[in-house]
Amino acid sequence: MLNSLATSSSRARWSGLVVAAALAGPPRAAAANEPPPIPEAAQRAYDRGLAERDAGQFPAAAREFAAAYSQIPETERELRAAILFDLVDAHRGAFTAGGERRGNEHPAAHLCAADRALADFIETEQERKRGRKSPDMVKATGLREEVRKDFVVAKSRESDLDCAALELPRVPDKAEPPPPPPSDAPKPVQAAPKKLLIAGGVTTGVGVALLGLMIGGLVRGQRTEDEAAALVQAMPELAADDPRFAAFDRRGRGDNAMAIVGGVFGSLALGAGVALLVVGVRAHKAAGRPAAPEPTVAVWPVASPAGGGAAVRWRF
């Protein structure tokens, strides 16, 4: 459905922008002394929210998503929308999971919190768009209707439910794990320099290929969103369950998966590959072999209307 398309493509852009900021952030900061567009605290909170959600801890996930959402600048509208929809999903998951009522604490308060967040977002979008509806606003409006229906059903079972009086159930803070005891085991023997260089080169190549996959997903996702938005603008009378919207949704999910997999694993592989190359060159020097220059790796994105990729220059 169109309602889920905005989240898919927006979250793909979130992943891509975060990876791009991680790869290109230090040189840009050194050159222009500009702050990164995404606060590190927001990134950490969002990552914790994803981990809590994957573990089925929806109340904790909602708390982390809310912390990330509050720290994203209002100018980053697409990122705010993506995190908002994850926040609403976490609140609804926490309500569905249920729990005991303790005083004013009640699982239905998650529905109230989701409704307030969606209402604020819709109001801001209405002021900014001046009557026009963006795909994210259409998504938020539909989600708010679903959240309110859920609350009506809950109120039919417990007539005294009132959002003005309900409080979110408290989420206990997790204790920090104790540091591991020092190990007396002997240090492992370092790998041969040649093997490190080979492993670093292969891993770097895999990282570049995965980053190309990420950029391709971002380009395809943007194209899919543009086509969906154009269809909504041209034919606003179409129903949400129109087959064309379902096709856009399937494409958007595929683009999202491509961008996330490529961005996350590509950045990890590229970082590990460069680290192996550096360690290999230093081990080469330590072994008394002819000195080799420090490896230099340069990566830049390549995008076109037909797709995207990444180019790499590697010297060591």
Side-chain angles (χ1 to χ4, degrees), residues 177-183:
S183 176

Side-chain angles (χ1 to χ4, degrees), residues 181-194:
S183 176
D184 296 332
K187 296 182 179 180
V189 179
Q190 294 184 351
K194 185 176 181 181

Side-chain angles (χ1 to χ4, degrees), residues 18-302:
V18 170
V19 173
L23 293 176
R28 288 178 58 195
N33 196 24
E34 296 179 355
I38 303 170
E40 293 184 5
Q43 175 66 68
R44 291 194 296 269
Y46 183 77
D47 291 340
R48 290 194 299 268
L50 292 177
E52 295 288 3
R53 185 188 63 186
D54 293 342
Q57 302 298 324
F58 295 105
R63 182 178 65 178
E64 298 296 347
F65 286 144
Y69 182 70
S70 66
Q71 298 177 75
I72 298 297
E74 293 189 0
T75 54
E76 301 291 338
R77 292 186 291 271
E78 293 181 347
L79 290 180
R80 283 177 63 83
I83 302 176
L84 170 68
F85 298 144
D86 284 334
L87 170 62
V88 172
D89 288 341
H91 276 310
R92 298 181 73 185
F95 167 71
T96 302
E100 297 181 0
R101 181 171 186 172
R102 295 189 296 270
N104 290 334
E105 296 181 16
H106 193 284
H110 285 284
L111 297 178
C112 301
D115 179 73
R116 287 192 296 270
L118 289 167
D120 292 341
F121 177 81
I122 293 171
E123 182 180 354
T124 302
E125 284 293 289
Q126 286 175 339
E127 294 177 356
R128 186 175 66 87
K129 288 290 186 177
R130 298 184 181 277
R132 293 177 296 151
K133 290 186 177 181
S134 65
D136 288 335
M137 183 176 176
V138 173
K139 167 72 174 178
T141 302
L143 275 177
R144 192 183 186 200
E145 292 177 357
E146 295 176 8
V147 168
R148 289 194 162 191
K149 288 179 182 178
D150 292 341
F151 188 80
V152 169
V153 173
K155 192 174 180 62
S156 66
R157 295 193 296 263
E158 300 181 55
S159 59
D160 61 337
L161 294 182
D162 184 2
C163 283
L166 294 181
E167 298 178 2
L168 289 173
R170 283 170 290 181
V171 180
D173 294 327
K174 293 183 178 179
E176 292 292 333
S183 176
D184 296 332
K187 296 182 179 180
V189 179
Q190 294 184 351
K194 185 176 181 181
K195 293 182 179 179
L196 289 172
L197 292 173
I198 294 175
V202 172
T203 307
T204 300
V206 172
V208 171
L210 289 173
L211 288 178
L213 181 68
M214 176 199 75
I215 297 174
L218 293 176
V219 173
R220 287 165 54 90
Q222 182 62 57
R223 188 186 308 132
T224 300
E225 182 176 280
D226 291 343
E227 292 176 4
L231 180 61
V232 172
Q233 186 174 6
M235 306 178 68
E237 69 280 1
L238 286 179
D241 57 354
D242 189 277
R244 282 169 286 190
F245 290 153
F248 283 132
D249 180 49
R250 288 191 297 271
R251 286 172 54 188
R253 290 178 183 273
D255 300 339
N256 178 47
M258 181 187 301
I260 291 177
V261 171
V264 173
F265 292 101
S267 60
L268 292 175
L270 183 60
V274 173
L276 286 172
L277 291 174
V278 173
V279 173
V281 170
R282 292 177 178 174
H284 216 277
K285 294 179 179 179
R289 297 170 183 171
E294 291 289 338
T296 301
V297 178
V299 182
W300 61 94
V302 177

